[in-house]
Amino acid sequence: MFTLAEENYLKAIFHLEHEGSGEVSTNAIAESMETKPSSVTDMIQKLAEKKLVVYKRYKGTLLTEKGKKIAANVIRKHRLWEVFLVDKLNFHWDEVHEIAEQLEHIQSEELITRLDKFLGSPDFDPHGDPIPDKNGVLKRTEKKLLSQIEKNQKGVCVGVKESSADFLQYLDKKKISIGTKITVLGKEFFDGSMIIQVGNEQFFISHKIAENLYVQTL
Amino acid sequence: MFTLAEENYLKAIFHLEHEGSGEVSTNAIAESMETKPSSVTDMIQKLAEKKLVVYKRYKGTLLTEKGKKIAANVIRKHRLWEVFLVDKLNFHWDEVHEIAEQLEHIQSEELITRLDKFLGSPDFDPHGDPIPDKNGVLKRTEKKLLSQIEKNQKGVCVGVKESSADFLQYLDKKKISIGTKITVLGKEFFDGSMIIQVGNEQFFISHKIAENLYVQTL
DNA sequence: CTTTATTTTTAGTTAAGTCTAAAAATAAAG
DNA sequence: CTTTATTTTTAGACTTAACTAAAAATAAAG
Ligand SMILES: [Mn+2]
Ligand SMILES: [Mn+2]
Ligand SMILES: [Mn+2]
Ligand SMILES: [Mn+2]
């Protein structure tokens, strides 16, 4: 129905809409897709003709309901495949993103219906990201960035914002994964760095780490 | 490493080489891929430059060792995915080909290694076709077309030559699947049609059916 | 052998998706 | 406000993989 390129653009715009607020800029799309702004303009104009986005020259882009649905479905497929790779093929959570990036474009309703069932209809992917349902609806969950947690508060890790292999491997080294309890022992105002407790270990983390870890406060 | 189009051409040439003997003609490739001969010539010249085929103008095309290996690997992936779809997702054998046609192009050595293990390193796909090993080696098996079996001989169905949904659904209707025992009760010289016994049922089949069913004589 | 038919290749287009370079619009600074 | 900087779009070019139409080579028929 839609080309690989179109699906990737819709997905990128979907993610950017959820991060910022309001129209998504051409440069933001270009950066997130590692492509040039001129290429983005071309594609957006094509998507606008197909009524998948609303586009106003020099102002930015927003997905239409139709565009949102398609994007959410690609994300649904991506995350279901990630669950498959981790749960069934025993991949580690830092190895699955690139492969899912390809698998998300396989076209077959029936395949996804059956895959979902096979996996036990999971609600979250291996990185703690929610899996949209058949209709593209994303369950919104109560989660905060670890960086927003106050001193002496406790939280359980429910996801990661970044899911680069580097970051995930850092978390492994520190024995942090989905479900891990984290206590904030200290917080430095100057640079946002923290001292946290994980299990019996206490250690220092930078602001960059803290703002890429999602937790639910206890 | 190679584009989707390149992989599909290599696969088609691989299959055609195994059917006929000697060079594969441009028209044969075009027909099997539902494309135009001029497009085939273009692509073959590109594959020849990449040393994946040996091509002589007006004479035909043969895969090089490198080309064979790549083709066999695509076929390996295709057939492993078909096993996955049938064994794990409970698809029926007439529903999996189109989906595997997409999945065969997913690029990840590790994925296939793990998928193979997950499936128990199967030797055959749901249509009875052998799955090439990691090095592209195809286990050759003793099999004949049902049409080559003589009157009063018995065989067990080990595969299908065609695997179109229409043909597979016909076989279902007649209760024929991989492992089914078939006895040839009669054979008409004029049109190659047969009377066969399957289970307790005896019925007529045309030559077209008989020449698309592989059996091992008992 | 020649003529005719078939197969295959070449030449010239096209569409998707990308890029660079230049122009136009908007935003920021003075 | 005007000038400068940034963002965005347009124009033109390129690559891949298709196509049509025409030419060239090979095979088949007479
Ligand atoms: Mn993608
Ligand atoms: Mn994920
Ligand atoms: Mn294919
Ligand atoms: Mn098969």
Side-chain angles (χ1 to χ4, degrees):
Chain A
M1 192 62 187
F2 298 96
T3 69
L4 189 135
E6 287 169 342
E7 288 191 344
N8 282 337
Y9 274 96
L10 291 173
K11 190 174 60 135
I13 297 166
F14 186 96
H15 285 313
L16 291 168
E17 263 188 44
H18 278 252
E19 283 169 25
S21 53
E23 284 82 7
V24 177
S25 81
T26 300
N27 269 1
I29 298 169
E31 196 190 359
S32 88
M33 300 195 58
E34 301 182 55
T35 182
K36 301 292 168 184
S38 54
S39 306
V40 174
T41 301
D42 278 353
M43 179 56 89
I44 281 173
Q45 288 173 346
K46 206 175 89 183
L47 295 176
E49 277 181 26
K50 296 193 179 186
K51 309 286 187 198
L52 299 171
V53 301
V54 177
Y55 162 67
K56 291 210 195 80
R57 280 164 75 228
Y58 292 102
K59 287 219 59 180
T61 302
L62 284 175
L63 292 173
T64 61
E65 277 311 307
K66 196 176 161 198
K68 260 180 217 164
K69 206 157 175 183
I70 293 160
N73 195 244
V74 174
I75 292 165
R76 172 173 164 78
K77 291 192 277 182
H78 182 107
R79 293 180 179 167
L80 282 172
W81 279 116
E82 284 190 345
V83 173
F84 168 72
L85 294 172
V86 168
D87 285 10
K88 301 296 182 180
L89 299 194
N90 300 117
F91 274 99
H92 200 262
W93 70 341
D94 63 339
E95 304 173 308
V96 298
H97 184 74
E98 294 305 312
I99 302 175
E101 207 60 36
Q102 299 177 60
L103 287 164
E104 72 188 6
H105 300 290
I106 302 293
Q107 306 280 8
S108 166
E109 279 272 333
E110 185 65 17
L111 172 61
I112 296 308
T113 302
R114 285 174 187 257
L115 181 63
D116 178 57
K117 197 172 171 189
F118 180 60
L119 300 172
S121 300
D123 290 322
F124 298 95
D125 85 0
H127 312 104
D129 294 315
I131 298 174
D133 70 16
K134 226 179 270 287
N135 306 309
V137 179
L138 257 172
K139 201 172 286 135
R140 278 244 140 292
T141 54
E142 275 297 321
K143 66 184 180 187
K144 292 181 188 170
L145 291 172
L146 178 58
S147 56
Q148 298 167 328
I149 298 289
E150 296 311 316
K151 183 172 167 177
N152 292 325
Q153 276 197 293
K154 241 182 231 187
V156 58
C157 174
V158 294
V160 293
K161 193 172 174 192
E162 271 281 326
S163 53
S164 66
D166 278 349
F167 181 50
L168 297 176
Q169 281 161 21
Y170 169 88
L171 294 180
D172 287 340
K173 219 161 46 192
K174 296 301 192 181
K175 305 263 189 273
I176 297 172
S177 60
I178 309 284
T180 303
K181 285 195 194 67
I182 300 173
T183 311
V184 177
L185 301 175
K187 197 170 172 182
E188 193 62 59
F189 270 94
F190 177 61
D191 64 356
S193 65
M194 291 176 159
I195 307 278
I196 63 174
Q197 171 141 9
V198 174
N200 297 322
E201 303 286 323
Q202 300 180 3
F203 52 86
F204 168 92
I205 62 169
S206 71
H207 182 63
K208 181 152 186 198
I209 302 296
E211 71 176 357
N212 278 301
L213 256 186
Y214 286 117
V215 294
Q216 241 169 38
T217 47
L218 297 173
Chain B
M1 192 61 185
F2 298 97
T3 68
L4 189 135
E6 287 169 343
E7 289 192 344
N8 282 337
Y9 273 96
L10 292 173
K11 190 174 59 134
I13 298 166
F14 186 96
H15 285 312
L16 290 167
E17 264 189 41
H18 278 252
E19 283 169 26
S21 52
E23 284 83 5
V24 177
S25 81
T26 300
N27 270 1
I29 299 170
E31 197 189 359
S32 88
M33 300 196 57
E34 301 184 54
T35 182
K36 302 291 167 184
S38 55
S39 306
V40 173
T41 301
D42 277 352
M43 179 57 89
I44 281 174
Q45 288 173 345
K46 206 175 89 184
L47 295 176
E49 275 182 28
K50 296 192 179 186
K51 309 284 186 201
L52 299 172
V53 302
V54 177
Y55 162 67
K56 291 210 193 80
R57 280 164 77 229
Y58 294 101
K59 288 219 57 181
T61 301
L62 284 175
L63 292 173
T64 62
E65 277 311 308
K66 197 176 161 199
K68 260 180 216 161
K69 207 159 176 182
I70 293 160
N73 194 245
V74 174
I75 292 165
R76 171 172 164 79
K77 290 192 278 182
H78 182 108
R79 293 180 177 166
L80 282 173
W81 280 116
E82 284 190 344
V83 173
F84 169 71
L85 294 172
V86 168
D87 285 10
K88 301 297 182 179
L89 299 195
N90 300 119
F91 273 100
H92 200 261
W93 69 342
D94 63 338
E95 304 173 308
V96 297
H97 184 74
E98 294 305 313
I99 301 175
E101 206 60 36
Q102 300 176 59
L103 286 164
E104 71 188 5
H105 300 290
I106 302 292
Q107 307 278 8
S108 167
E109 279 272 334
E110 185 66 17
L111 172 61
I112 296 308
T113 303
R114 285 174 187 257
L115 181 64
D116 177 58
K117 197 173 172 190
F118 180 59
L119 300 172
S121 298
D123 290 322
F124 299 94
D125 85 0
H127 312 103
D129 294 314
I131 298 174
D133 71 15
K134 226 179 272 282
N135 307 308
V137 179
L138 257 173
K139 200 173 286 134
R140 278 243 142 294
T141 55
E142 275 298 321
K143 65 182 179 187
K144 291 180 186 170
L145 291 173
L146 178 58
S147 55
Q148 298 166 330
I149 297 291
E150 296 312 316
K151 183 172 166 176
N152 292 325
Q153 277 198 291
K154 241 182 232 191
V156 58
C157 174
V158 295
V160 293
K161 192 171 174 196
E162 269 282 324
S163 54
S164 66
D166 278 349
F167 181 50
L168 298 176
Q169 281 162 20
Y170 170 88
L171 295 179
D172 287 340
K173 219 159 47 190
K174 297 299 191 183
K175 305 261 188 275
I176 297 171
S177 60
I178 308 286
T180 303
K181 284 194 194 68
I182 299 172
T183 312
V184 176
L185 301 175
K187 196 172 173 181
E188 193 61 58
F189 270 95
F190 177 61
D191 63 355
S193 64
M194 291 176 157
I195 307 276
I196 63 175
Q197 171 142 9
V198 175
N200 295 323
E201 303 284 324
Q202 301 180 4
F203 52 88
F204 167 92
I205 62 169
S206 71
H207 183 62
K208 181 152 185 200
I209 301 296
E211 72 177 354
N212 278 301
L213 254 186
Y214 286 118
V215 294
Q216 241 169 39
T217 46
L218 297 174

